[in-house]
Amino acid sequence: MHQTHHATELHQTSHSHHQEHHVIAVGTYFKIYLVLMALLALTVGAYYMDMGSHGINLVVAMTIAVVKAVLIVLFFMHVYYSAPLTWVTAAGSLLWVGLLLVFLLADYISRGFLSILGK
Amino acid sequence: MQTASTPTMPDAGGRQILLSHFDDLDQQHLSSNLGMWFFLVSEVMFFSGLIAAYAVYRAQSPVAFELASKHMDLVIGFINTLVLLTSSFTMALAVRCSQVGDNKGIVRYLIATGVLGTVFLGVKATEWKAEIDHHLFPGAHFVVPAEDAKAMQEASVGPDGQLDRTLYARTLGHFQMMFALYFFMTGVHAFHMIVGIAAVGIFAVLAQIRWFSGYGTTQIEVLGLYWHFVDVVWVFLYPLLYLIG
Amino acid sequence: MSASAHARHDDGPPADYLSDTSVASWLLTTDHKRVGILYMFSVTAFFLVGGFIAALMRLELMTPKGDVMATPDAYNRMFTMHGVIMIFFFLVPSIPGVLGNFLLPLMIGARDLAFPKINLLSWYVYMIGGVMGVYILVFGGVDTGWTFYTPFSTMYSNTMVVTAAVAVFITGFSSILTGLNFIVTVHTMRAPGMTWFRLPLFVWSHYATALIMVLGTPVLAISVILIALERFFHFGVFDPKLGGDPILFQHLFWFYSHPAVYIMVLPGFAVISEIIPCFARRPIFGYRFVAFASVAIAIFGFLVWGHHMFVSGQSMYAGAVFSILSFLVAIPSAIKVFNWTATLYKGSLRFDTPMLYAMGFMGLFTIGGLTGLMLASLAIDVHVHDTYFVVAHFHYIMVGGTTMAYLGGIHFWWPKMTGRTYSELWGKLSALLVFVGFNLTFFPQFLLGYLGMPRRYFEYRPEFQVLNVMSTAGASILAVGFLLPLTYLLLSLRKPRDAGPNPWGATGLEWQVESPPTTHNFHQPVLVTCEPYMYSPEEAEREYANGQHAHHA
């Protein structure tokens, strides 16, 4: 039976929520900011470097962008100090973008695999 | 259980007001945080539709996209990215100030964030104006610059040495498509920036008049999440739009 | 302590969530129960509009020649508006907006959803989109089909496509806001002791639905905005002359719209999972399987959208991949059907109105699902794509499934929401009429599609007429079946409150409070100590054998 009486236990939330009040030092933020600046310079530098094919340039640029994004997400958005649910949410959203892109591009790339017109 | 019901009472002592449907402050804070995160998930998917369109067309015509990208001033884009990353830094500091109870710091860093964001938008607006003046806004008035048309023509030569008309037409079309995607992606991003700057401004005012209970830790943190997200989107847009090739 | 004593305060009027009757208290409410009632009025109104359009369509289709509509163009606008209104303004918001909003906090032991004001905002946003939709209907409608396929919608249609795109975009926000409200609520507002595996399956299914709402709706927003931009600015994103690909629109559109059908059906599963254990007096069979199946449907549902595009120009390899995945996505749904069926085994069955709807759901959803598998096979789909076979398939799921579940849920929780009971006789009669009318309307459509009658045509070959007439006859019975509950349920409101907290003898926190509940749901903090669905068929049989009323008053 469901009983109702004065409950002193906490509601069902993640127990690590108190970590979200973790105060990050100004120095840490500044260091991350400097790293981001360096990565930005690297992004532009990579553009000017000839790496052979078009595709490699894209991969390098995107990798650097991902690193920047991860730093912002982990430290500026406090995910490093947050409950697992938070980083699952963030990672999940990236996974979903990936799903859309992979399945979508799979169609376009595989057109013309067979020599049947229109397929 | 605290049950103050009106959130309009300023509380200089820093004691946060608990809304009546929550059991305790931690639950309230976690809910707000999670709520913003799931909203950001929906925003990620919103931009992903555009990224998908971009990916498809760029894969089909890398040459057209590269030529189009050369019309974006990458130095201006670099400056804008710098400005936005700095605004993320000041936003993070504003959130930190709300956590340690430094109200002056909150206002100072929120204003800095808003100013940097406005600088970003101003620069973007001048970029757009320049591009529109050069007939690079897609639609009825779009004009393919002569050198680019020539380069694309050369790239559309078939194995027999003759111009492949279908390929050429498609490449020309994708050149314009890049600009359509550029304006739309940066436009949507700019819209999100405008909303963000407005919110930052409003929060700066509210913090100044001590409207928040408890230094507005939750509210400012949630605003920070939104701001950093808009920054992350730009971190991806910059290389995708300005640095192709 | 009886429930009714709780509802009355001797020092004042009874204080439940319906007490304050001022307009302002309704339009400015943040009480999730009131928002649910607001949604109920809205979805009912839109259902009637969409249903009226369907009636006109069926009238037209009684004869092979076009006679009711002046032009084929008018028929195009009819089926488009029927689709847009029924999907976006009825099916998507119905069960989550009405029953989800009302019951979710009650079921988890909370006083409200996590964001009550955002809840109200979601209703207002939905109403703005809905009013725009009706405006479009009144001023000529859109003729592109609810799917807005390019290049017709972007380049050739002369109707209010941009307005429709904006209306859909706005309504999508309602979905996203509801979705994130539900997700956060389930994560953070469960009462002490309410662990994930003590949650009613209603909550699990709505959680899965909410995930889809948040992840999928934004992509619809983008696809619809791209159409608007292309019409407005002539951007040419989908224009073949500019190298655009119309199929890209279909990809973006169906990336949402396939998961959307799971947004429409998962809440139906939610209702059925509550009704069947109660009326079989047995705990649900395989609770964890049903719970995980809900989440699996939400996830896998995102991987199958290409099955709407087998014949559009998608690559055959992609088609094959989507086909296989579409077969796989049927598995979690099948698991649920097996588990509901197993719940009935050795149960003590009572066929009250909600149970009749639930039984109807199980049979009709199974038929809809199996025909879905047929459509998932490439070879069959080439033959029946864009025929009435597809129309029959999705109506079996949407009407035979979701709408019957919605009605079943309304009948099950009506005493809780209003404090009144309704006439069982009329309830059972309506359920039967809906079942008979529905099958007579839509089963012939499977045959029509197989025989080759295309969908979205207002004229057809004379040899199809007999089946079409049967379908229209069924539609008239179905209409009566739908209108009856509207009548007797509204009439029940004139009675005094006679329901009591638990007329069905159901388990679940919502049945532990009075009917209708007070504004803050619970009078004391809630502590949950046992599993859900603690029914006992033996006990039910004993009570029945002893001649007692098997349900607690």
Side-chain angles (χ1 to χ4, degrees):
Chain A
M1 266 298 126
H2 295 137
Q3 299 160 353
T4 55
H5 67 260
H6 287 292
T8 49
E9 295 129 49
L10 279 179
H11 45 86
Q12 302 296 313
T13 55
S14 151
H15 286 297
S16 53
H17 60 252
H18 64 270
Q19 288 174 340
E20 285 178 47
H21 297 298
H22 182 120
V23 182
I24 305 174
V26 177
T28 313
Y29 281 134
F30 190 61
K31 288 197 199 91
I32 301 290
Y33 175 63
L34 288 179
V35 174
L36 286 170
M37 292 292 109
L39 287 169
L40 176 59
L42 191 63
T43 313
V44 179
Y47 171 68
Y48 283 115
M49 286 195 315
D50 181 10
M51 282 178 239
S53 85
H54 202 87
I56 302 202
N57 244 304
L58 176 65
V59 169
V60 169
M62 283 296 103
T63 312
I64 301 175
V66 165
V67 174
K68 277 193 237 158
V70 165
L71 284 173
I72 295 176
V73 166
L74 282 181
F75 293 101
F76 285 177
M77 295 170 91
H78 302 169
V79 169
Y80 186 74
Y81 304 97
S82 296
L85 179 60
T86 315
W87 73 254
V88 166
T89 309
S93 63
L94 276 182
L95 176 68
W96 242 250
V97 181
L99 280 176
L100 169 60
L101 284 175
V102 164
F103 277 79
L104 187 68
L105 289 172
D107 173 26
Y108 285 93
I109 291 174
S110 59
R111 286 187 193 177
F113 272 15
L114 305 167
S115 48
I116 303 168
L117 199 63
K119 293 281 169 201
Chain B
M1 181 166 81
Q2 298 167 312
T3 49
S5 55
T6 54
T8 52
M9 297 187 312
D11 193 323
R15 195 182 51 131
Q16 273 195 290
I17 288 174
L18 181 70
L19 296 171
S20 65
H21 58 283
F22 287 115
D23 291 330
D24 56 63
L25 288 174
D26 275 333
Q27 188 188 42
Q28 181 172 279
H29 179 94
L30 183 67
S31 296
S32 299
N33 225 304
L34 215 53
M36 176 50 82
W37 268 107
F38 279 101
F39 177 68
L40 293 180
V41 168
S42 79
E43 292 279 36
V44 167
M45 293 312 293
F46 186 72
F47 279 96
S48 72
L50 284 174
I51 304 274
Y54 171 95
V56 166
Y57 291 132
R58 178 168 165 179
Q60 290 184 339
S61 294
V63 171
F65 270 60
E66 191 175 333
L67 288 168
S69 169
K70 296 233 179 334
H71 287 271
M72 320 289 173
D73 188 340
L74 74 85
V75 174
I76 293 189
F78 174 82
I79 293 173
N80 252 357
T81 313
L82 195 80
V83 165
L84 208 53
L85 284 174
T86 312
S87 76
S88 249
F89 178 51
T90 53
M91 185 76 224
L93 290 177
V95 171
R96 186 182 176 279
C97 286
S98 74
Q99 287 176 326
V100 300
D102 176 5
N103 208 59
K104 282 198 171 44
I106 296 174
V107 178
R108 192 186 325 133
Y109 286 119
L110 281 180
I111 292 180
T113 309
V115 165
L116 287 168
T118 315
V119 166
F120 176 93
L121 284 180
V123 171
K124 199 95 213 75
T126 56
E127 266 191 284
W128 277 9
K129 185 166 183 318
E131 279 146 4
I132 293 174
D133 285 341
H134 283 115
H135 299 286
L136 290 174
F137 188 80
H141 302 287
F142 188 82
V143 172
V144 182
E147 330 75 66
D148 295 316
K150 199 157 158 309
M152 283 188 273
Q153 194 170 23
E154 275 152 29
S156 309
V157 166
D160 56 356
Q162 297 286 46
L163 176 67
D164 184 343
R165 294 216 160 270
T166 335
L167 184 58
Y168 180 50
R170 211 175 66 170
T171 313
L172 281 178
H174 284 166
F175 182 83
Q176 189 180 154
M177 189 83 71
M178 196 279 178
F179 283 97
L181 287 169
Y182 164 79
F183 277 103
F184 191 28
M185 284 159 99
T186 53
V188 171
H189 180 261
F191 173 74
H192 283 83
M193 286 287 301
I194 293 173
V195 171
I197 293 169
V200 164
I202 292 173
F203 274 41
V205 169
L206 291 178
Q208 178 65 21
I209 64 173
R210 293 187 177 269
W211 184 88
F212 292 116
S213 64
Y215 300 104
T217 319
T218 308
Q219 294 93 323
I220 295 175
E221 186 174 332
V222 154
L223 175 66
L225 287 177
Y226 175 81
W227 190 268
H228 295 305
F229 165 74
V230 178
D231 188 23
V232 167
V233 170
W234 182 260
V235 159
F236 282 99
L237 287 186
Y238 178 55
L240 286 178
L241 296 173
Y242 290 77
L243 303 176
I244 304 179
Chain C
M1 175 161 58
S2 85
S4 45
H6 242 241
R8 309 192 74 82
H9 298 274
D10 290 333
D11 49 0
D16 57 55
Y17 83 100
L18 292 169
S19 298
D20 191 344
T21 52
S22 66
V23 172
S25 73
W26 276 98
L27 293 181
L28 295 175
T29 184
T30 50
D31 182 353
H32 66 100
K33 301 182 289 296
R34 286 187 164 221
V35 174
I37 303 294
L38 287 174
Y39 265 105
M40 188 162 71
F41 281 116
S42 315
V43 303
T44 309
F46 287 119
F47 179 72
L48 291 173
V49 173
F52 177 69
I53 300 175
L56 287 176
M57 286 165 65
R58 281 303 341 152
L59 206 59
E60 170 63 78
L61 290 170
M62 271 214 304
T63 58
K65 286 274 158 251
D67 27 38
V68 173
M69 310 280 159
T71 58
D73 215 39
Y75 187 78
N76 293 351
R77 292 158 196 250
M78 291 282 103
F79 67 68
T80 305
M81 296 315 295
H82 171 73
V84 167
I85 292 176
M86 283 308 206
I87 291 177
F88 293 116
F89 304 121
F90 172 65
L91 285 166
V92 166
S94 60
I95 300 178
V98 180
L99 297 172
N101 268 326
F102 194 99
L103 295 167
L104 202 77
L106 282 165
M107 285 182 169
I108 64 174
R111 286 187 291 288
D112 207 313
L113 290 173
F115 309 116
K117 294 200 195 86
I118 289 187
N119 199 15
L120 182 67
L121 177 67
S122 84
W123 182 76
Y124 274 109
V125 168
Y126 159 72
M127 285 305 288
I128 293 174
V131 164
M132 278 181 82
V134 171
Y135 169 84
I136 292 170
L137 175 66
V138 165
F139 284 94
V142 183
D143 64 352
T144 59
W146 82 275
T147 47
F148 292 109
Y149 274 9
T150 54
F152 180 67
S153 59
T154 47
M155 302 203 298
Y156 301 106
S157 173
N158 293 321
T159 55
M160 309 167 80
V161 176
V162 174
T163 321
V166 174
V168 168
F169 181 82
I170 292 174
T171 313
F173 272 107
S174 168
S175 231
I176 294 174
L177 292 174
T178 300
L180 67 88
N181 220 340
F182 282 4
I183 297 176
V184 175
T185 305
V186 175
H187 274 288
T188 66
M189 318 250 315
R190 285 168 287 129
M194 181 59 87
T195 60
W196 279 90
F197 292 114
R198 285 181 181 166
L199 285 171
L201 290 166
F202 183 96
V203 178
W204 274 97
S205 283
H206 274 83
Y207 180 79
T209 308
L211 282 177
I212 307 177
M213 283 171 163
V214 168
L215 286 167
T217 316
V219 182
L220 173 78
I222 274 289
S223 64
V224 125
I225 286 291
L226 282 171
I227 289 191
L229 284 178
E230 194 165 326
R231 275 181 82 87
F232 215 68
F233 289 113
H234 306 287
F235 264 12
V237 181
F238 305 121
D239 184 353
K241 282 200 298 293
L242 289 169
D245 187 1
I247 311 300
L248 178 64
F249 170 77
Q250 294 188 23
H251 274 296
L252 292 176
F253 178 82
W254 286 112
F255 183 83
Y256 163 75
S257 299
H258 186 81
V261 314
Y262 296 111
I263 292 180
M264 294 185 257
V265 93
L266 272 170
F269 293 161
V271 171
I272 301 307
S273 296
E274 295 301 311
I275 292 181
I276 289 190
C278 177
F279 290 93
R281 312 306 298 168
R282 283 201 66 213
I284 192 109
F285 182 89
Y287 171 94
R288 287 190 186 216
F289 272 90
V290 179
F292 287 133
S294 304
V295 180
I297 291 172
I299 295 175
F300 277 97
F302 274 97
L303 306 179
V304 299
W305 78 85
H307 65 227
H308 298 270
M309 298 155 60
F310 283 153
V311 298
S312 304
Q314 191 176 247
S315 88
M316 216 146 92
Y317 277 101
V321 168
F322 280 120
S323 174
I324 296 173
L325 287 168
S326 303
F327 274 89
L328 292 178
V329 83
I331 295 177
S333 299
I335 289 176
K336 291 186 154 209
V337 173
F338 294 150
N339 283 2
W340 292 322
T341 312
T343 308
L344 298 173
Y345 178 64
K346 288 200 175 166
S348 173
L349 303 180
R350 283 191 67 93
F351 292 98
D352 294 304
T353 307
M355 185 60 157
L356 288 180
Y357 280 111
M359 294 287 97
F361 176 100
M362 281 181 47
L364 299 177
F365 172 76
T366 304
I367 295 176
L370 289 174
T371 51
L373 283 174
M374 292 164 70
L375 288 166
S377 10
L378 290 161
I380 299 183
D381 189 69
V382 167
H383 181 68
V384 295
H385 176 79
D386 265 349
T387 65
Y388 263 85
F389 193 90
V390 180
V391 175
H393 155 73
F394 63 70
H395 280 94
Y396 261 79
I397 310 256
M398 293 298 130
V399 184
T402 304
T403 311
M404 287 191 83
Y406 174 71
L407 288 173
I410 293 288
H411 283 79
F412 186 51
W413 281 290
W414 186 261
K416 176 56 56 187
M417 296 195 293
T418 62
R420 278 97 169 172
T421 55
Y422 48 84
S423 157
E424 263 300 305
L425 176 68
W426 283 106
K428 290 187 171 119
L429 180 65
S430 306
L432 249 43
L433 280 176
V434 166
F435 185 78
V436 168
F438 171 83
N439 279 301
L440 189 57
T441 310
F442 291 104
F443 198 83
Q445 294 187 6
F446 277 126
L447 303 172
L448 280 169
Y450 178 71
L451 291 170
M453 178 177 170
R455 65 186 284 202
R456 295 176 167 172
Y457 276 44
F458 82 140
E459 291 184 332
Y460 50 83
R461 297 171 66 90
E463 54 259 35
F464 297 139
Q465 182 167 19
V466 172
L467 290 169
N468 269 297
V469 171
M470 279 174 71
S471 183
T472 304
S476 54
I477 301 175
L478 187 60
V480 173
F482 282 142
L483 290 172
L484 279 177
L486 190 60
T487 323
Y488 64 74
L489 287 177
L490 279 178
L491 284 177
S492 79
L493 295 175
R494 301 171 76 196
K495 299 190 317 185
R497 298 201 180 149
D498 57 348
N502 199 352
W504 308 113
T507 64
L509 285 172
E510 75 272 26
W511 301 107
Q512 309 288 312
V513 298
E514 57 266 346
S515 308
T518 60
T519 307
H520 286 289
N521 297 344
F522 300 98
H523 295 282
Q524 288 151 329
V526 174
L527 175 71
V528 176
T529 52
C530 59
E531 308 304 305
Y533 311 117
M534 305 268 287
Y535 294 106
S536 160
E538 294 81 18
E539 202 177 292
E541 284 298 318
R542 258 182 274 126
E543 286 176 14
Y544 192 66
N546 288 344
Q548 286 175 355
H549 193 258
H551 299 310
H552 311 313

